[in-house]
Amino acid sequence: MTVDTGPEAPLEPPRQSSLGTAAARNLATTTKSAPQMQEITSRWLLRVLPWVETKGGTYRVNRRLSYTVGDGRVEFVQDGSSVRVIPRELGELALLQGFDDVEVLTAIAGRCVQHDFRAGEVLVERGGPAERVHLIAHGRISQTSVGKYGDQIAVAVLADGDRFGENALLDADATWDHTATAETSGTLLTLSRADFEAVVATAPHLQAHLREFSALPLQRQNKHGEAEIAMSAGHTGEAELPGTYVDYELKPREYELSLAQTVLRVHTRVADLYNEPMNQTKEQLRLTIEALRERQEHELINNPEFGLLHNADFKQRIQTHSGPPTPDDLDELLCRRRGSKYFLAHPRTIAAMGREFNARGLYPDHVDLGGQQVPAWRGVPILPCSKIPITKENTSSILVMRTGEDNQGVIGLRQTGLPEEYEPGLSVRFMGIDERSIISYLVTTYYSAAILVPDALGVLENVQIGRRRE
């Protein structure tokens, strides 16, 4: 027998018998972390660069006189599928370096013929007559030749802005000493000897310039293009010794210190009342300085005036052989300079390097750097630098450098002893309190970088970092 008790009565929540945690927290002292910041990176470049005191805000790099001719890259303009060379950019060719008659250069540029090539196309054959210069607007071209024992050897890999065949414009008997094959599709412009001679015939100024250019190689130079220091060796008896002197550049490069600045603002009420357990002004300043240092490293890599990527000598820029960063590419980068101290690469590029090493059964060494184990290749540490850009095509660059004034390497520039200096080369200056009770501090850091000789810095360009599809 069941008893109907009617609708069920709602259950009452249990009564609280002690103080709740939410209320208790109002009386408790919490344990806090210092303000965190995701932007902070390892900033290896700032740590490994030797910093040179730069009084007067300017650093002058004195070098031996060099006879440098046309070692830059040629730039182009694109109009739809049509590509044209910028007339003044033809001055990057050795035989036109220093020639500034825009009308004549425009006439030469107008005779350049566009050629769109496909991957695998053979552009020139070794041993064939060289009758034109090739200016690469876009794409990758490999140059190969035949070795002493009949095997094929790689000569170079060329890319956007490079050219080959300049000697064909002045030498009627020139032949190709290599075979050029397109690795990717792309576009180049060609200028034939006949078209060039047609312009020369109507331009007396250009004729005079070419006569001066032909005499230039008679100047005594070493293999680096520097004015030669005459000397005698291996002689016997009373041989007459040559006299000499070391010639210097008349207009040496000067690096002026750049700066990064910001104004830090803190309300007096915050600074007065909320300084326990952490000093608000100190924490605000700490994070501001971290951001300035991050920007400083970015500028040292990317600034067009003194940044390492923009100031690397064109002769020290090389292309990868196949796209990804292979051990062979790193070896070629190292062999172009003495005393390499550090590689710098984006972390994703370092990951791509690891994949290529693993695919070949190789494992990089590890070296101790400031108490931290870092990967290395041939004993040269490989350091991450997230400031090195990655392009839309998923490519990046790898830098290698020699450092220090004594080694004629790459150096950082700064000036210490600043008024109200907070860290070396960084000052924090009190700017006053405004009518809204806001305290202002001017935070400034001064810096730059200098490459003492061209081979102190090398760049491996167009490094493919995307993972290959299996």
Side-chain angles (χ1 to χ4, degrees), residues 76-361:
F76 305 82
V77 291
Q78 185 174 3
D79 184 9
S81 60
S82 176
V83 176
R84 305 188 308 277
V85 62
I86 300 173
R88 285 189 178 276
E89 287 295 312
L90 291 173
E92 297 294 346
L93 300 180
L95 72 168
L96 294 177
Q97 199 264 347
F99 184 74
D100 57 1
D101 190 324
V102 179
E103 185 176 348
V104 176
L105 292 176
T106 303
I108 296 174
R111 291 179 175 264
C112 293
V113 179
Q114 179 175 338
H115 172 64
D116 296 320
F117 54 84
R118 65 184 184 279
E121 180 178 346
V122 177
L123 302 174
V124 301
E125 285 276 6
R126 179 178 179 272
E131 299 175 341
R132 60 190 70 237
V133 61
H134 296 72
L135 312 175
I136 305 172
H138 180 64
R140 283 168 53 93
I141 296 174
S142 64
Q143 294 179 324
T144 57
S145 187
V146 176
K148 181 177 180 179
Y149 301 101
D151 54 333
Q152 190 177 74
I153 59 174
V155 176
V157 179
L158 307 179
D160 304 14
D162 289 326
R163 74 273 181 185
F164 59 96
E166 288 183 63
N167 60 327
L169 297 182
L170 296 181
D171 185 2
D173 299 323
T175 59
W176 296 114
D177 55 4
H178 61 267
T179 297
T181 306
E183 291 191 352
T184 66
S185 59
T187 301
L188 57 77
L189 300 182
T190 62
L191 174 65
S192 68
R193 185 189 310 122
D195 286 335
F196 181 71
E197 291 175 346
V199 176
V200 173
T202 61
H205 294 306
L206 181 55
Q207 296 172 16
H209 173 82
L210 293 177
R211 284 194 295 270
E212 294 179 3
F213 171 78
S214 299
L216 186 61
L218 298 178
Q219 303 179 69
R220 299 181 65 85
Q221 308 170 31
N222 62 20
K223 65 180 181 179
H224 302 291
E226 298 171 328
E228 187 175 52
I229 299 176
M231 62 183 66
S232 177
H235 54 274
T236 59
E238 299 179 352
E240 182 177 351
L241 301 180
T244 188
Y245 65 96
V246 181
D247 207 355
Y248 300 136
E249 289 182 346
L250 296 179
K251 296 181 179 180
R253 170 87 183 264
E254 291 186 348
Y255 294 86
E256 293 186 0
L257 291 183
S258 184
L259 79 164
Q261 286 182 310
T262 189
V263 176
L264 173 63
R265 295 185 175 92
V266 181
H267 200 286
T268 54
R269 180 166 52 186
V270 172
D272 292 343
L273 303 180
Y274 301 96
N275 271 345
E276 292 294 339
M278 299 178 192
N279 186 295
Q280 294 282 359
T281 303
K282 182 178 179 180
E283 292 301 321
Q284 288 280 301
L285 185 58
R286 179 179 65 85
L287 297 181
T288 300
I289 292 174
E290 292 282 3
L292 279 177
R293 293 303 192 194
E294 292 291 332
R295 183 55 184 264
Q296 177 182 351
E297 187 175 63
H298 177 275
E299 292 293 304
L300 290 175
I301 292 289
N302 297 290
N303 188 284
E305 295 297 324
F306 57 85
L308 300 183
L309 278 179
H310 292 273
N311 285 268
D313 190 87
F314 286 112
K315 292 181 179 179
Q316 300 298 325
R317 300 172 186 261
I318 63 174
Q319 306 295 320
T320 62
H321 288 87
S322 59
T326 65
D328 290 342
D329 294 322
L330 299 185
D331 284 343
E332 184 169 352
L333 200 55
L334 288 175
C335 76
R336 289 175 174 249
R337 65 201 39 78
R338 60 177 174 82
S340 296
K341 294 286 288 185
Y342 308 104
F343 285 107
L344 282 177
H346 192 281
R348 289 182 58 193
T349 307
I350 295 177
M353 294 164 62
R355 290 195 296 270
E356 295 301 315
F357 288 164
N358 292 339
R360 291 162 174 77

